Amino acid sequence: MCVSTMANDGGLRKVFQSADLVYNQLLILDQHKLHDNSNIAAGDKRKPSRSLSEVSSSSIIKSPKINLSQHSSASLRRAVTPLIQSMEQLDAAALLSLNPNQDGNGAVLDPKKGSSVPPIHDRIVPYHRFHRAENTVRYLHAREVADKYTVGIFIFPPGASIPLHDHPSMVVISRVLYGELKVKSYSVVSSVHDDDVVEEMKEETSGTKCDSSPSRIRSSINRIKDFVSRAVLSSHHDHHAATQHKLQVQVNKSPLGVQFSSDGDGESSAIISAPNVTALYPDEGNCHSFVAGPYGAAVLDVLLPPYAEDEHRDCTFYEAVENEHGYCLTPIDQPSDFDCLSGEYGRFNSCDQY
């Protein structure tokens, strides 16, 4: 799937251009880190930084592997600033071919302008009326450049959610196009391996049979292309969850673009709404979940680099349990009531190239 060439794309092409630029900046950052580390290990003095033009063209064409987990959030934040800015400048109404109104009827588009738009969750095709999962999010694929980045839009019906999951060694920039979502965001402190729990889970799942139903997919956030319903061995997913480490995490107290509010019972909620942009990094806010508001939501995501199981960037679902150090995240199977189905809408159709 891809984006067709309709006249006004709301600035999506600029997002693609920024994603290319940012990937190259991340590549330079990674090359410098690798270069510096090798010099330090050899006892050499550090040499001047190389420009991208000095990196072999053959390696760029092959999309060399990058390891963002070795960089600080501060350095990564500086590198991805152009992408954040281009996403902030998006015209969501033009991108989704919507007509804003000022009567407060619909999902929030821009509170400063008092504008709202009708949600589009019921306009995504094909319409899966009898899908088993109670909580189904739709996905519109926009662009993917192998080993570099993936761009797509998640369409949340009212109250729909994406369960708690991670993004290992990745940077993810998200722009809320319309609506609002309740957010839970955690930063990883350490990895905890509980051998007893792992062995117990392996024993419980060793006799699992194949279930080919769409709602029991392998981690559909595995890669964005796999974030769609497809028949696979659920036992493979069970084994994956059983062999993952628990994560000791702390609440991310100041994620970009998120506002905190308290309800009548004194409970604090983290809310992100249109047109805000948020971001996560390998060591900051890397695990999160979303629950859409009463009108649903649409979120444009850019993942750098994409999920890739063979590169140890697999996705895991978690359950959070509070403890004396913050929270412990325990790997779980993909919740049976959650699914994400790809679809088509407007400029987002079934063609193969942008």
Side-chain angles (χ1 to χ4, degrees):
M1 297 179 64
C2 74
V3 183
S4 64
T5 54
M6 295 176 69
N8 185 0
D9 67 359
L12 188 58
R13 283 182 180 273
K14 186 175 180 180
V15 170
F16 295 162
Q17 294 167 356
S18 296
D20 283 317
L21 171 65
V22 165
Y23 173 81
N24 288 336
Q25 293 301 313
L26 294 175
L27 177 59
I28 292 173
L29 193 65
D30 220 46
Q31 292 286 340
H32 289 172
K33 189 74 171 182
L34 179 63
H35 183 69
D36 291 343
N37 287 344
S38 64
N39 284 340
I40 293 172
D44 296 334
K45 294 182 179 179
R46 296 190 179 188
K47 299 179 180 180
S49 298
R50 298 182 298 165
S51 67
L52 183 62
S53 62
E54 293 177 86
V55 180
S56 68
S57 59
S58 61
S59 65
I60 297 175
I61 293 173
K62 294 178 181 178
S63 298
K65 306 297 186 282
I66 57 176
N67 178 17
L68 300 186
S69 61
Q70 62 183 326
H71 306 290
S72 69
S73 294
S75 62
L76 292 173
R77 191 176 294 111
R78 288 191 294 270
V80 302
T81 295
L83 180 55
I84 291 176
Q85 292 174 340
S86 66
M87 293 177 72
E88 289 174 337
Q89 295 167 6
L90 273 172
D91 182 339
L95 175 63
L96 297 176
S97 303
L98 299 174
N99 295 317
N101 62 70
Q102 272 70 45
D103 58 12
N105 184 21
V108 60
L109 178 70
D110 188 341
K112 292 182 179 180
K113 297 179 179 179
S115 58
S116 303
V117 291
I120 64 170
H121 57 273
D122 57 353
R123 296 161 60 184
I124 310 298
V125 296
Y127 178 57
H128 292 266
R129 180 180 178 185
F130 300 105
H131 193 70
R132 294 198 322 175
E134 298 176 6
N135 177 29
T136 300
V137 175
R138 305 305 299 270
Y139 181 73
L140 306 175
H141 181 65
R143 192 179 195 193
E144 178 174 5
V145 180
D147 299 320
K148 290 187 177 182
Y149 61 85
T150 301
V151 184
I153 301 176
F154 292 97
I155 306 296
F156 294 75
S161 64
I162 294 182
L164 184 63
H165 61 282
D166 64 356
H167 311 78
S169 301
M170 298 163 63
V171 173
V172 181
I173 314 297
S174 304
R175 158 71 190 269
V176 183
L177 301 175
Y178 70 70
E180 64 177 28
L181 304 107
K182 184 178 295 186
V183 183
K184 289 186 178 180
S185 176
Y186 301 95
S187 297
V188 178
V189 177
S190 64
S191 179
V192 181
H193 192 61
D194 188 334
D195 292 330
D196 294 335
V197 172
V198 169
E199 289 303 318
E200 181 179 344
M201 290 181 68
K202 286 182 178 178
E203 291 176 4
E204 290 178 354
T205 60
S206 61
T208 305
K209 298 180 179 179
C210 172
D211 179 355
S212 61
S213 61
S215 61
R216 297 295 295 170
I217 62 175
R218 171 68 176 87
S219 174
S220 60
I221 315 181
N222 226 1
R223 303 172 195 169
I224 288 298
K225 270 195 170 182
D226 291 335
F227 204 120
V228 295
S229 201
R230 63 189 181 101
V232 293
L233 294 175
S234 63
S235 58
H236 177 67
H237 183 195
D238 294 338
H239 174 75
H240 169 78
T243 56
Q244 298 306 294
H245 290 194
K246 292 182 178 181
L247 299 178
Q248 183 63 45
V249 300
Q250 293 180 346
V251 174
N252 185 15
K253 296 182 179 180
S254 56
L256 176 68
V258 173
Q259 297 181 328
F260 293 86
S261 61
S262 299
D263 58 24
D265 298 325
E267 292 290 330
S268 179
S269 297
I271 303 293
I272 183 167
S273 59
N276 289 319
V277 173
T278 191
L280 62 82
Y281 305 91
D283 64 351
E284 182 182 318
N286 193 267
C287 302
H288 66 192
S289 64
F290 295 105
V291 180
Y295 290 99
V299 179
L300 176 72
D301 263 7
V302 181
L303 290 80
L304 298 126
Y307 282 113
E309 187 174 3
D310 57 348
E311 293 296 326
H312 307 291
R313 293 194 305 273
D314 198 2
C315 180
T316 302
F317 291 94
Y318 292 96
E319 180 179 52
V321 177
E322 190 170 8
N323 58 27
E324 65 273 20
H325 304 295
Y327 288 85
C328 182
L329 304 189
T330 301
I332 61 172
D333 295 340
Q334 177 177 313
S336 60
D337 65 346
F338 166 71
D339 210 347
C340 187
L341 302 175
S342 64
E344 301 180 11
Y345 167 83
R347 69 181 76 246
F348 300 92
N349 53 48
S350 58
C351 58
D352 294 326
Q353 297 186 18
Y354 183 75

